[in-house]
Amino acid sequence: MYTVHTLFVEMSTGAQAATASNNSLPAQNFDFFLVLDFEATCDSATKIVPQEIIEFPVLKINGKTFETETEFHTYVQPTANPRLTPFCTELTGITQDKVDGKPTLQETMKIFEKWMEEQGFLDGRCSFVFVTCGDWDLKTMLPGQCSHFRIHLPQYFKTWINIKRTFQHVMGQYPKEDLMGMLKGLSITHQGRHHSGIDDCRNIANILKALAERGCIFQPTYRL
């Protein structure tokens, strides 16, 4: 049995007050935003082929309050190149013991599909869209690995918001430093470790909310 971390965030009195203050946020076209940021095998000297996802985090963001309701998070066992490089560990903070014995990507995709079903995303009860920092996660990384290992890629992964493009639209300039540049441009303090997938998701979520507070109505920026 694999343990996948799912955090349910209960709304406290303070959060309820914050929700009331969020009534001024613009109405969105989606009930929920799913913030996603993969980490993958990598090396500084050579290109790893195939590159494999080793961290799979997703935040479920309420489209009215822009608060996180649930987190899906698991580390993933790479199979073609199961040993992480020192560079990869230094960059991401992911050590070998964190991925050893964890579900493979094929198993993770099945677990995530079940999570999506439990959240009501697969029966039409609510609308949602993925949010990423760039197009790499869902244009290159996931489709490439699914193709290599002959894993089915669900249709819902084929539309997303590249928040860097949205930031450019709202702020008038493309973020040269990616995530850190957007945080700086919006005067948001960085939280956690950069290149930790779950921490990057939380920072992207803060950017998402800050752009909404500036009147942004989010639209998909890419479809496969």
Side-chain angles (χ1 to χ4, degrees), residues 5 36-41 52-59 71-78 84 88-89 91-95 98-99 102-105 108 136-137 141-142 145 193-202:
H5 174 67
L36 176 153
D37 190 85
F38 297 135
E39 298 303 325
T41 53
E52 298 175 79
I53 292 168
I54 56 175
E55 185 179 7
F56 195 123
V58 179
L59 305 189
E71 296 180 357
F72 175 94
H73 181 244
T74 184
Y75 293 104
V76 183
Q77 171 72 65
L84 303 183
C88 184
T89 294
L91 179 69
T92 66
I94 300 173
T95 54
K98 288 184 178 181
V99 298
K102 295 302 187 293
T104 64
L105 180 65
T108 298
W136 174 84
D137 300 84
M141 187 61 241
L142 185 62
Q145 191 175 353
R193 179 192 178 110
H194 192 26
H195 297 304
S196 157
I198 191 64
D199 287 345
D200 284 354
C201 281
R202 292 166 182 160

Side-chain angles (χ1 to χ4, degrees), residues 159-188:
T159 300
W160 64 89
I161 295 169
N162 176 348
I163 201 165
K164 292 194 290 185
R165 295 295 181 190
T166 307
F167 177 93
Q168 180 183 26
H169 176 74
V170 174
M171 304 299 288
Q173 59 182 354
Y174 191 78
K176 295 181 180 179
E177 299 176 61
D178 293 341
L179 178 65
M180 302 304 286
M182 288 187 288
L183 292 171
K184 182 178 179 180
L186 293 166
S187 299
I188 300 172

Side-chain angles (χ1 to χ4, degrees), residues 39-129:
E39 298 303 325
T41 53
C42 56
D43 197 8
S44 59
T46 60
K47 182 178 180 180
I48 295 178
V49 180
Q51 194 172 23
E52 298 175 79
I53 292 168
I54 56 175
E55 185 179 7
F56 195 123
V58 179
L59 305 189
K60 177 185 175 184
I61 308 295
N62 187 295
K64 293 182 179 179
T65 66
F66 285 84
E67 300 298 329
T68 300
E69 291 193 355
T70 308
E71 296 180 357
F72 175 94
H73 181 244
T74 184
Y75 293 104
V76 183
Q77 171 72 65
T79 56
N81 296 284
R83 299 300 300 176
L84 303 183
T85 65
F87 173 81
C88 184
T89 294
E90 182 179 356
L91 179 69
T92 66
I94 300 173
T95 54
Q96 189 67 43
D97 63 294
K98 288 184 178 181
V99 298
D100 285 344
K102 295 302 187 293
T104 64
L105 180 65
Q106 185 171 20
E107 293 164 337
T108 298
M109 296 284 277
K110 292 178 180 178
I111 298 169
F112 185 69
E113 179 92 357
K114 183 178 179 181
W115 181 83
M116 291 284 285
E117 183 178 3
E118 291 171 347
Q119 299 302 314
F121 291 135
L122 304 185
D123 60 8
R125 281 187 284 163
C126 55
S127 58
F128 67 93
V129 65

Side-chain angles (χ1 to χ4, degrees), residues 2 23 168 188 198 214 220 223:
Y2 298 111
N23 289 336
Q168 180 183 26
I188 300 172
I198 191 64
R214 285 163 171 75
R223 289 185 173 90

Side-chain angles (χ1 to χ4, degrees), residues 29-42:
N29 298 314
F30 299 96
D31 297 317
F32 295 96
F33 298 95
L34 300 183
V35 177
L36 176 153
D37 190 85
F38 297 135
E39 298 303 325
T41 53
C42 56

